[in-house]
Structure formats: structure tokens, C-alpha cells
Amino acid sequence: MEPIPETPDLSAYLAADEVIDHDHPLVRETAAQLRAQAPALHDYAKSAFEFVRDTIPHSQDAGDMRVTWRASDVLERRTGICYAKAHALAALLRAEGIPAGLCYQFLGEIHGLVALKLPGHDGWARQDPRGNKPGVDAQFSLTEERLAFVPDAGQGEFDYPALYAATPAPVLECLQRATDRPHLWRTLPTAL
């Protein structure tokens, strides 16, 4: 599914804000290190995806009680749930001039993804940096979706069509109010 941008202004998907803080020194440093290893934009995008997916554990999988939400904090603390990891990936992509937005699935609660737009490729390609584990095998792909989860329409699950330039209020407020991961898990949004 290709998400529908909430604005036609591509610069919105390159902007830095409080959450996707790609102007932060740690984000810039991480992006520069990844870019040095992968100078072509496609290779860099894949490298950034794999970096977030593989080197920043999903906090529930790792049993980490900390809650992160700002991209730079995710990179510094090396933990985050799907939303936080999506923020980190979006920041790394935007840091190198790749338009990136946030998109979501409803899977009983809201699950966070990233969509990116690379030159030479039509449309937006959704990516899921959640982190792999048994039964979850998300891969970088511009041609076919290789996400962690596929919504089950029979169970009322679905893809939200919108592509957000900034984190929607229900997601951000949930992350910012959580005192720890168990509290976060009890208060995850069920709608955008």
C-alpha cells in the first residue's frame, strides 16, 4: 500500500522538529558514519534502515523499561518501541535529504512505520524498522512491502492511508506521558 501524503509540500518530509530532530549532533554524526559506508542514496537508505532495525533493540523484545520518543534519544539510549524506532529512521533519512514520513497500521493498537521517497523510484515505499525476531522478518524494499506485520482484515486490522510529516498527537502524547514501558503498553493508542 502506498500511503497518501498529508501535504503535497515535500519539504515537510525533510523538516526537523522536536521528535525527528535530525539537526541533533548525534543524528548528524550517525548519518555521516552510515553515509561514509554507503555513498549512494539507495544504499544509504537501506543501511539506515538496517542500522535502526538491527542495532536498536525493540524495548519490549529486550525487556527494557525505558521509553524513548525523540530520534536522538533513541540513538543515544539504543532502545525504543516501533514509534520511537520510526522516528530514528525518519531522522536519519531526512539528515541525508531523503524525504521520509510516518505511517501506521491498526493491529489491535497502532503500529508505527516509515515511508521514504527516493529519486528514481515512483511513490513512497513503506519500511518497518521494528526489529526482527522469530515470526517477524521485515526487510528493506522499494518494490514490494516486506513489513513486520500484515493487517488481518478479518480481525478488524488495517493500514492507515495517511503519511504524516510529524508525529500524530495520540502517538506522541502516549510516548511522552509514559513513566515506563509497562505503563506505555497499557496506554498505547488504538486510533489516530
Side-chain angles (χ1 to χ4, degrees):
M1 180 200 120
E2 184 174 341
I4 302 166
E6 66 177 345
T7 175
D9 181 5
L10 206 55
S11 68
Y13 297 97
L14 291 167
D17 62 24
E18 178 185 25
V19 178
I20 303 173
D21 59 341
H22 67 77
D23 52 355
H24 188 280
L26 180 57
V27 177
R28 302 303 273 180
E29 177 185 324
T30 304
Q33 290 171 355
L34 293 169
R35 187 68 184 262
Q37 301 290 323
L41 272 185
H42 175 276
D43 296 338
Y44 172 79
K46 182 178 181 187
S47 180
F49 166 80
E50 290 174 348
F51 176 82
V52 173
R53 182 194 65 190
D54 298 342
T55 70
I56 300 170
H58 188 284
S59 56
Q60 180 173 345
D61 295 350
D64 195 320
M65 295 297 139
R66 297 173 295 168
V67 175
T68 55
W69 54 271
R70 184 177 287 118
S72 57
D73 291 339
V74 174
L75 295 176
E76 179 183 343
R77 296 180 186 169
R78 298 288 187 179
T79 191
I81 67 165
C82 62
Y83 309 141
K85 292 182 69 162
H87 298 159
L89 178 56
L92 289 172
L93 294 168
R94 290 180 184 187
E96 291 298 319
I98 299 171
L102 304 168
C103 44
Y104 300 89
Q105 297 174 313
F106 175 75
L107 306 169
E109 64 261 334
I110 307 300
H111 176 62
L113 309 168
V114 171
L116 60 92
K117 187 172 184 62
L118 280 175
H121 294 275
D122 291 333
W124 293 86
R126 294 192 307 167
Q127 311 297 325
D128 192 340
R130 181 225 178 270
N132 290 340
K133 64 179 187 174
V136 175
D137 184 29
Q139 300 296 323
F140 183 84
S141 177
L142 299 176
T143 56
E144 64 176 315
E145 291 194 332
R146 302 280 310 275
L147 306 177
F149 308 106
V150 176
D152 180 347
Q155 296 294 318
E157 298 176 347
F158 59 91
D159 291 304
Y160 279 96
L163 177 62
Y164 297 90
T167 308
V171 171
L172 184 56
E173 290 167 6
C174 167
L175 289 168
Q176 289 177 327
R177 291 179 182 161
T179 55
D180 58 22
R181 189 179 40 78
H183 177 246
L184 175 64
W185 236 241
R186 292 189 303 274
T187 60
L188 288 173
T190 57
L192 292 180

